[in-house]
Amino acid sequence: MTARVVEDSGWDALFLEDYLVYQGDASQPTYDPWICLAAIATATERIRIGTTVTPLPRRHPWKVAAECVALDQLSNGRLILGVGIGDPGDPFMPAVGQRVLAEMLDEGLELIDRLWTGQPVSAAGKHYRLDGVRLMAPAVQRPRVPIWVGGNFLVPAVRRRIVRWDGSCAYKGTTAAPRQITPRDVRELLAEARPGFEVKVSGGDPGAFAEAGAAWWGRWIPPLPVEDTLTLVRQGPPKI
């Protein structure tokens, strides 16, 4: 129902956060976003769908690759995969440091990209090993399902990872004290990225962001009663 209201209210996309325990709060009911996205894919026709973000180090990359292909087929080519290293408060994250999580994210993304080609993949990385495995089911989108990367883009290594892929759903500063992204930030990211790179932002002036080249402006909605969520959704996207 909510997804239909999102589509009917003029929004262009619906993205879900990917938690098993929402922001580490065990009292908050949390539902698997991948199952929810499958339902959303079959209940809608136009909007893009995806995760912002999936903590890839918590998942097997080959399983994420297969799930994305299935969702892209169910939605007729509307999926976007947003990824990051994960929330430090997530009790299901591997008990390793940020550097190792970053290594797992980079290695996992490379494997997903290769598996989506449909060709046999062998890898002997630091964190993942494959021996000639192949995913035959193709995605609808070519050359691949778009990959957006999150994280703090003020960190040089994170920024390099972001512009290596297809889009940014990043934040500025720390999660504890995020700073507002500016139109200048958007222009600088686009100048560093490949053609077709997309930037998703929130807050600020949507019109100024559009002029700077941002493709997406998002409104984050926290966990609320259903009717309260629908009230916000029915307000529709900003008029630019």
Side-chain angles (χ1 to χ4, degrees), residues 160-176:
R160 289 193 296 271
R161 180 181 304 116
I162 289 169
V163 299
R164 191 181 309 145
W165 296 97
D166 307 309
S168 168
C169 52
Y171 52 86
K172 180 180 180 180
T174 66
T175 55

Side-chain angles (χ1 to χ4, degrees), residues 99-119:
R99 182 183 62 80
V100 176
L101 293 175
E103 291 174 351
M104 295 174 72
L105 174 56
D106 287 332
E107 199 173 311
L109 283 174
E110 293 293 341
L111 285 179
I112 287 171
D113 189 35
R114 292 175 63 192
L115 287 165
W116 281 345
T117 67
Q119 298 301 310

